[in-house]
Amino acid sequence: KFIFLGNEEFGLPVISELLPKHPGNFDLIVTSQDSSSAFDNLCLNNNVPLCRVDNINNFDNEISKYKSDSLLVCGWSQIIKPHLLNKIKCIGMHPTLLPERRGRCPITWTLIDGLNESGVTIFHLDEGVDSGDIIFQEKFKISETDKSIDLINQINKLLINMFSDVIKSFPDLPRIKQD
């Protein structure tokens, strides 16, 4: 069983597809206080509880109540602190091929630098920033006319399948050290 933590840009499109593909696998959906009512409707329609938080690191007692196997993190900008990492296995995503373009604004920098290829990484979260062991990576092509929203849409399509693979394979997930 999983807890899903996500924002609107990446999290909502991904969990909207994962819930019907993996019914009964999600104990809780967590998003930010200012996310739209689309999360409310999604959770109501799929009979999954929803919690809204300002800081996920202040939510560890609530997460412990669910006894879930893992926290799937999709598009969350806060760094998850050690006290939470020690309570639950955390698996996250990064919208590039790590270790390239760690940190903030990776999509913007991908476009500014004129790359013709990028990708998505699913990885085990650790105490560093985008530094954990890699689970899966998928590449995609970038055209000269692509904008940020085009990359986000490509990334979300890949994430749906990649997180689905995580759910199917859990807990037997690869661990590829980053360089």
Short mmCIF file of all heavy atoms in Angstrom, two decimals, residues 146-175:
data_model
loop_
_atom_site.label_atom_id
_atom_site.label_comp_id
_atom_site.label_asym_id
_atom_site.label_seq_id
_atom_site.Cartn_x
_atom_site.Cartn_y
_atom_site.Cartn_z
N ASP A 146 9.26 22.94 -28.78
CA ASP A 146 8.68 22.55 -27.49
C ASP A 146 8.80 23.66 -26.46
O ASP A 146 9.83 24.35 -26.39
CB ASP A 146 9.35 21.29 -26.94
CG ASP A 146 8.81 20.01 -27.55
OD1 ASP A 146 7.72 20.06 -28.16
OD2 ASP A 146 9.47 18.97 -27.39
N LYS A 147 7.75 23.82 -25.69
CA LYS A 147 7.71 24.74 -24.55
C LYS A 147 7.70 23.90 -23.26
O LYS A 147 7.59 22.67 -23.31
CB LYS A 147 6.43 25.59 -24.61
CG LYS A 147 6.22 26.29 -25.94
CD LYS A 147 6.93 27.61 -25.96
CE LYS A 147 6.59 28.41 -27.20
NZ LYS A 147 7.51 28.24 -28.29
N SER A 148 7.74 24.55 -22.13
CA SER A 148 7.73 23.86 -20.84
C SER A 148 6.53 22.92 -20.73
O SER A 148 6.67 21.78 -20.28
CB SER A 148 7.71 24.85 -19.69
OG SER A 148 8.90 25.57 -19.61
N ILE A 149 5.35 23.38 -21.13
CA ILE A 149 4.15 22.55 -21.00
C ILE A 149 4.26 21.29 -21.85
O ILE A 149 3.76 20.23 -21.46
CB ILE A 149 2.85 23.35 -21.33
CG1 ILE A 149 1.61 22.55 -20.96
CG2 ILE A 149 2.82 23.77 -22.79
CD1 ILE A 149 1.46 22.29 -19.49
N ASP A 150 4.93 21.36 -22.98
CA ASP A 150 5.12 20.18 -23.82
C ASP A 150 5.98 19.14 -23.11
O ASP A 150 5.69 17.95 -23.15
CB ASP A 150 5.74 20.56 -25.16
CG ASP A 150 4.89 21.54 -25.94
OD1 ASP A 150 3.67 21.30 -26.06
OD2 ASP A 150 5.44 22.56 -26.42
N LEU A 151 7.04 19.62 -22.47
CA LEU A 151 7.90 18.70 -21.71
C LEU A 151 7.16 18.12 -20.52
O LEU A 151 7.25 16.92 -20.24
CB LEU A 151 9.17 19.42 -21.25
CG LEU A 151 10.33 19.38 -22.23
CD1 LEU A 151 10.02 20.09 -23.53
CD2 LEU A 151 11.58 19.96 -21.60
N ILE A 152 6.39 18.95 -19.82
CA ILE A 152 5.61 18.47 -18.68
C ILE A 152 4.64 17.38 -19.12
O ILE A 152 4.51 16.35 -18.45
CB ILE A 152 4.89 19.64 -17.99
CG1 ILE A 152 5.91 20.54 -17.29
CG2 ILE A 152 3.82 19.15 -17.01
CD1 ILE A 152 5.37 21.88 -16.85
N ASN A 153 3.97 17.57 -20.24
CA ASN A 153 3.04 16.55 -20.73
C ASN A 153 3.75 15.25 -21.08
O ASN A 153 3.25 14.17 -20.78
CB ASN A 153 2.26 17.09 -21.94
CG ASN A 153 1.26 18.15 -21.55
OD1 ASN A 153 0.82 18.23 -20.41
ND2 ASN A 153 0.92 19.02 -22.49
N GLN A 154 4.92 15.35 -21.71
CA GLN A 154 5.69 14.14 -22.02
C GLN A 154 6.14 13.43 -20.75
O GLN A 154 6.08 12.21 -20.65
CB GLN A 154 6.91 14.50 -22.88
CG GLN A 154 6.58 14.90 -24.30
CD GLN A 154 7.84 15.09 -25.12
OE1 GLN A 154 8.48 14.12 -25.49
NE2 GLN A 154 8.20 16.34 -25.39
N ILE A 155 6.59 14.22 -19.80
CA ILE A 155 7.05 13.67 -18.52
C ILE A 155 5.91 12.95 -17.81
O ILE A 155 6.08 11.83 -17.31
CB ILE A 155 7.67 14.78 -17.65
CG1 ILE A 155 8.99 15.24 -18.26
CG2 ILE A 155 7.83 14.33 -16.20
CD1 ILE A 155 9.50 16.56 -17.73
N ASN A 156 4.73 13.57 -17.75
CA ASN A 156 3.60 12.95 -17.06
C ASN A 156 3.21 11.63 -17.71
O ASN A 156 2.88 10.66 -17.01
CB ASN A 156 2.42 13.91 -17.00
CG ASN A 156 2.57 14.93 -15.90
OD1 ASN A 156 3.25 14.69 -14.91
ND2 ASN A 156 1.97 16.09 -16.08
N LYS A 157 3.24 11.55 -19.03
CA LYS A 157 2.92 10.28 -19.70
C LYS A 157 3.90 9.19 -19.28
O LYS A 157 3.49 8.05 -19.01
CB LYS A 157 2.96 10.46 -21.22
CG LYS A 157 1.78 11.21 -21.77
CD LYS A 157 1.90 11.40 -23.27
CE LYS A 157 0.82 12.34 -23.76
NZ LYS A 157 0.99 12.67 -25.18
N LEU A 158 5.16 9.54 -19.21
CA LEU A 158 6.17 8.56 -18.78
C LEU A 158 5.99 8.20 -17.31
O LEU A 158 6.12 7.03 -16.94
CB LEU A 158 7.57 9.10 -19.03
CG LEU A 158 8.00 9.23 -20.49
CD1 LEU A 158 9.34 9.94 -20.60
CD2 LEU A 158 8.03 7.89 -21.19
N LEU A 159 5.70 9.19 -16.48
CA LEU A 159 5.56 8.95 -15.04
C LEU A 159 4.44 7.98 -14.72
O LEU A 159 4.56 7.18 -13.79
CB LEU A 159 5.34 10.26 -14.29
CG LEU A 159 6.57 11.13 -14.09
CD1 LEU A 159 6.17 12.48 -13.52
CD2 LEU A 159 7.58 10.44 -13.18
N ILE A 160 3.36 8.05 -15.45
CA ILE A 160 2.23 7.15 -15.20
C ILE A 160 2.71 5.70 -15.31
O ILE A 160 2.46 4.87 -14.42
CB ILE A 160 1.06 7.44 -16.16
CG1 ILE A 160 0.45 8.80 -15.82
CG2 ILE A 160 0.01 6.34 -16.10
CD1 ILE A 160 -0.40 9.40 -16.93
N ASN A 161 3.40 5.38 -16.38
CA ASN A 161 3.90 4.01 -16.56
C ASN A 161 5.02 3.67 -15.58
O ASN A 161 5.09 2.55 -15.08
CB ASN A 161 4.39 3.82 -17.99
CG ASN A 161 3.24 3.84 -18.97
OD1 ASN A 161 2.13 3.42 -18.67
ND2 ASN A 161 3.49 4.35 -20.16
N MET A 162 5.88 4.63 -15.31
CA MET A 162 7.01 4.37 -14.41
C MET A 162 6.54 4.12 -12.98
O MET A 162 7.01 3.19 -12.32
CB MET A 162 8.00 5.52 -14.48
CG MET A 162 8.69 5.63 -15.85
SD MET A 162 9.66 7.14 -16.05
CE MET A 162 11.13 6.72 -15.12
N PHE A 163 5.62 4.95 -12.48
CA PHE A 163 5.10 4.72 -11.13
C PHE A 163 4.27 3.44 -11.09
O PHE A 163 4.24 2.74 -10.08
CB PHE A 163 4.30 5.92 -10.62
CG PHE A 163 5.14 6.95 -9.92
CD1 PHE A 163 5.23 8.24 -10.41
CD2 PHE A 163 5.84 6.66 -8.76
CE1 PHE A 163 6.00 9.20 -9.78
CE2 PHE A 163 6.62 7.61 -8.12
CZ PHE A 163 6.70 8.89 -8.63
N SER A 164 3.59 3.12 -12.18
CA SER A 164 2.85 1.87 -12.25
C SER A 164 3.82 0.68 -12.12
O SER A 164 3.54 -0.29 -11.41
CB SER A 164 2.08 1.80 -13.57
OG SER A 164 1.21 0.70 -13.58
N ASP A 165 4.97 0.78 -12.76
CA ASP A 165 6.00 -0.26 -12.64
C ASP A 165 6.53 -0.35 -11.21
O ASP A 165 6.81 -1.45 -10.71
CB ASP A 165 7.15 0.00 -13.61
CG ASP A 165 6.77 -0.26 -15.07
OD1 ASP A 165 5.72 -0.91 -15.31
OD2 ASP A 165 7.51 0.21 -15.96
N VAL A 166 6.68 0.78 -10.54
CA VAL A 166 7.10 0.78 -9.14
C VAL A 166 6.08 0.02 -8.30
O VAL A 166 6.45 -0.83 -7.48
CB VAL A 166 7.29 2.22 -8.60
CG1 VAL A 166 7.38 2.24 -7.08
CG2 VAL A 166 8.52 2.87 -9.22
N ILE A 167 4.81 0.31 -8.49
CA ILE A 167 3.75 -0.35 -7.72
C ILE A 167 3.77 -1.86 -7.96
O ILE A 167 3.69 -2.65 -7.02
CB ILE A 167 2.38 0.26 -8.06
CG1 ILE A 167 2.32 1.70 -7.55
CG2 ILE A 167 1.24 -0.58 -7.49
CD1 ILE A 167 1.17 2.52 -8.12
N LYS A 168 3.91 -2.26 -9.20
CA LYS A 168 3.91 -3.69 -9.54
C LYS A 168 5.15 -4.41 -9.00
O LYS A 168 5.08 -5.58 -8.63
CB LYS A 168 3.86 -3.87 -11.06
CG LYS A 168 2.55 -3.48 -11.69
CD LYS A 168 2.67 -3.58 -13.20
CE LYS A 168 1.52 -2.88 -13.89
NZ LYS A 168 1.74 -2.81 -15.35
N SER A 169 6.29 -3.73 -8.98
CA SER A 169 7.55 -4.36 -8.59
C SER A 169 7.87 -4.24 -7.11
O SER A 169 8.77 -4.92 -6.62
CB SER A 169 8.71 -3.74 -9.39
OG SER A 169 8.52 -3.92 -10.77
N PHE A 170 7.20 -3.35 -6.41
CA PHE A 170 7.52 -3.08 -5.01
C PHE A 170 7.41 -4.35 -4.18
O PHE A 170 6.46 -5.11 -4.36
CB PHE A 170 6.57 -2.00 -4.46
CG PHE A 170 7.02 -1.45 -3.15
CD1 PHE A 170 7.90 -0.39 -3.11
CD2 PHE A 170 6.60 -2.00 -1.96
CE1 PHE A 170 8.34 0.12 -1.90
CE2 PHE A 170 7.02 -1.51 -0.75
CZ PHE A 170 7.89 -0.45 -0.73
N PRO A 171 8.34 -4.64 -3.29
CA PRO A 171 9.48 -3.85 -2.85
C PRO A 171 10.78 -4.15 -3.60
O PRO A 171 11.83 -3.63 -3.25
CB PRO A 171 9.62 -4.23 -1.38
CG PRO A 171 9.22 -5.67 -1.35
CD PRO A 171 8.13 -5.79 -2.41
N ASP A 172 10.70 -5.02 -4.59
CA ASP A 172 11.91 -5.44 -5.32
C ASP A 172 12.27 -4.43 -6.41
O ASP A 172 12.06 -4.68 -7.60
CB ASP A 172 11.70 -6.83 -5.92
CG ASP A 172 11.40 -7.87 -4.86
OD1 ASP A 172 12.06 -7.82 -3.79
OD2 ASP A 172 10.51 -8.70 -5.07
N LEU A 173 12.80 -3.30 -6.00
CA LEU A 173 13.14 -2.22 -6.92
C LEU A 173 14.65 -2.10 -7.09
O LEU A 173 15.40 -2.27 -6.12
CB LEU A 173 12.58 -0.90 -6.40
CG LEU A 173 11.06 -0.85 -6.24
CD1 LEU A 173 10.65 0.43 -5.52
CD2 LEU A 173 10.37 -0.95 -7.58
N PRO A 174 15.10 -1.80 -8.30
CA PRO A 174 16.54 -1.62 -8.52
C PRO A 174 17.10 -0.47 -7.69
O PRO A 174 16.37 0.43 -7.28
CB PRO A 174 16.63 -1.26 -10.01
CG PRO A 174 15.33 -1.62 -10.61
CD PRO A 174 14.32 -1.60 -9.52
N ARG A 175 18.39 -0.52 -7.49
CA ARG A 175 19.13 0.55 -6.80
C ARG A 175 20.41 0.78 -7.58
O ARG A 175 21.37 0.04 -7.41
CB ARG A 175 19.43 0.19 -5.36
CG ARG A 175 18.23 0.12 -4.46
CD ARG A 175 18.66 0.03 -3.00
NE ARG A 175 18.84 1.33 -2.43
CZ ARG A 175 17.92 1.99 -1.73
NH1 ARG A 175 16.74 1.47 -1.54
NH2 ARG A 175 18.19 3.17 -1.24
#
